[in-house]
Amino acid sequence: MAELGGNALVTAVVAVNEHMRSVTNMFIAQIALGDIIMLLLAMPFDIISKHVYEDWSFGTVLCRSMSFCKDYSLTITILTLTVMSIDRCFILSRELRTYSIRTMKMFFIVAIILQLLSVSAAIPATIFSGVWRESTHTHSNDSAANASIRVCKLNDGSPNLLRVSLSRILLLYVLPLVIISISFTKINAFLRLTEAQVLLSENKKIVSACKRALHLLITLVGLYTALLLPTVMDIIVSFFIRGGSLYDNKWYSLCEFLVDTTLYAICVYKPVVYSIMSANFRRGFRELTCCSSHNLGKSRIECNDDESTLDTNEIWFNSDGSESSVQHDVGDRV
């Protein structure tokens, strides 16, 4: 329940506090909502069936719903992080900054597109998921007896299994991380430019916001990459190694437990990261948990002390609001 409460707090902080409703924080709230869906509608059924009852007894509808919630939550998380990375790259480019997400209207348009893409990406696994019986071996009176358990998983016998498995790996892992890596590479190249150093020296508060936001984003992406890797490996292994004999293998059961643990840890680490790396979120958490009007007023006064989730769309402007005189080709060289 702690992980569910953490994501609920993240969503509530952004919803309740007006000064927290920046584009970046709205994206963070969208990720938190996806995590809540997985924690409520997928994790309990998955953990109980695999590691408590060792049998799926919730029916086909809940099996497919669980598959949908898993892929939807993972897709909305990685697509949102991808868009945030691209947006940071656009913000740092003079020529492309007009395409950055600078208003709530643009955010809602992008958010709707991401929701539609996430729902579409979750449909294939939902269709091919089902409850299947897998044979196991039980030992009674020194003799082996055949038994079977019900398992919620993708249909091993489907000719489209390879296509579905590859599409999940590409959409949830490979393609987004390639795009994010390219964005971070371009951002790093820009920050190393001499012209960029001159520009950023004129906008000390904005450069601080850029660095904090990038550190937060890199941390979120890095942890997602590491925690989802066991699931990706499990998808690959499950495709090449099939058969019910795996289900009574203690080492396979241990690996499955570790895979599930790291998968659902994706929904847990983000509120912890926000609380560690963002003073604004820490203050927001205190406001909601302590319900102190004194702290509320104080935090609003001090909210500018931390810019880890501050929008940085004004990087091409001087502190007085005038446009920077740095050469226009800086943006082209990002």
Side-chain angles (χ1 to χ4, degrees):
M1 294 299 293
E3 57 270 20
L4 183 61
N7 284 287
L9 273 176
V10 170
T11 307
V13 164
V14 177
V16 171
N17 298 310
E18 186 176 353
H19 71 273
M20 290 290 289
R21 294 175 198 162
S22 65
V23 171
T24 299
N25 290 343
M26 293 293 286
F27 276 128
I28 289 175
Q30 178 173 256
I31 294 175
L33 286 173
D35 290 342
I36 290 173
I37 289 175
M38 181 186 281
L39 291 171
L40 281 177
L41 303 179
M43 185 184 73
F45 305 105
D46 197 17
I47 297 299
I48 290 173
S49 65
K50 286 183 179 179
H51 308 294
V52 178
Y53 296 130
E54 297 183 350
D55 182 75
W56 181 269
S57 57
F58 301 108
T60 302
V61 174
L62 274 178
C63 172
R64 291 182 173 175
S65 298
M66 183 185 72
S67 298
F68 175 85
C69 292
K70 277 186 179 181
D71 280 16
Y72 166 81
S73 177
L74 293 173
T75 305
I76 196 66
T77 294
I78 191 59
L79 287 185
T80 302
L81 292 175
T82 303
V83 168
M84 291 172 68
S85 302
I86 295 174
D87 188 55
R88 290 292 158 185
C89 187
F90 283 179
I91 287 172
L92 292 174
S93 170
R94 182 187 293 274
E95 298 300 325
L96 297 176
R97 68 182 176 87
T98 55
Y99 299 102
S100 63
I101 305 171
R102 295 178 290 173
T103 64
M104 281 298 153
K105 180 180 179 180
M106 295 176 65
F107 162 77
F108 283 116
I109 292 174
V110 173
I112 291 173
I113 294 174
L114 293 181
Q115 293 289 341
L116 293 176
L117 290 175
S118 299
V119 170
S120 301
I123 289 176
T126 306
I127 294 175
F128 290 102
S129 292
V131 181
W132 315 98
R133 286 196 173 272
E134 297 287 351
S135 60
T136 61
H137 298 285
T138 60
H139 296 275
S140 177
N141 297 327
D142 298 328
S143 61
N146 290 327
S148 65
I149 60 173
R150 290 169 294 182
V151 180
C152 175
K153 64 173 188 175
L154 294 176
N155 183 8
D156 288 345
S158 172
N160 295 315
L161 178 62
L162 177 61
R163 187 180 304 173
V164 173
S165 299
L166 288 177
S167 65
R168 293 179 73 199
I169 294 174
L170 287 174
L171 290 175
L172 296 177
Y173 202 76
V174 178
L175 186 58
L177 293 181
V178 169
I179 296 174
I180 290 173
S181 298
I182 294 173
S183 299
F184 284 159
T185 300
K186 289 183 174 294
I187 291 172
N188 184 62
F190 169 81
L191 294 176
R192 290 178 177 273
L193 293 175
T194 303
E195 296 93 337
Q197 296 296 325
V198 175
L199 171 64
L200 297 177
S201 65
E202 300 175 352
N203 299 271
K204 293 182 179 181
K205 184 175 180 179
I206 299 299
V207 69
S208 176
C210 277
K211 289 181 178 180
R212 290 178 181 271
L214 286 174
H215 290 163
L216 177 63
L217 187 56
I218 290 172
T219 302
L220 295 176
V221 172
L223 288 172
Y224 176 92
T225 304
L227 293 174
L228 192 62
L229 181 59
T231 300
V232 172
M233 299 302 297
D234 182 63
I235 293 174
I236 297 173
V237 170
S238 298
F239 178 79
F240 290 103
I241 302 178
R242 307 177 192 177
S245 60
L246 289 174
Y247 289 92
D248 56 357
N249 185 300
K250 63 178 182 180
W251 296 111
Y252 178 79
S253 299
L254 177 61
C255 289
E256 283 292 294
F257 176 76
L258 294 176
V259 167
D260 291 335
T261 301
T262 55
L263 173 64
Y264 293 115
I266 292 176
C267 302
V268 178
Y269 77 86
K270 290 187 280 292
V272 177
V273 171
Y274 304 147
S275 64
I276 293 175
M277 301 187 67
S278 173
N280 282 340
F281 270 105
R282 288 197 298 272
R283 295 189 184 100
F285 293 154
R286 287 198 299 269
E287 291 171 12
L288 289 178
T289 55
C290 298
C291 300
S292 170
S293 59
H294 173 73
N295 289 337
L296 176 61
K298 183 179 179 181
S299 64
R300 288 184 175 177
I301 295 174
E302 297 175 351
C303 66
N304 290 328
D305 293 344
D306 170 62
E307 298 90 8
S308 57
T309 54
L310 181 68
D311 286 336
T312 54
N313 294 299
E314 298 179 358
I315 191 169
W316 287 103
F317 295 87
N318 297 319
S319 58
D320 61 356
S322 60
E323 187 169 2
S324 173
S325 59
V326 178
Q327 296 178 1
H328 286 264
D329 62 352
V330 174
D332 299 331
R333 295 167 61 181
V334 173

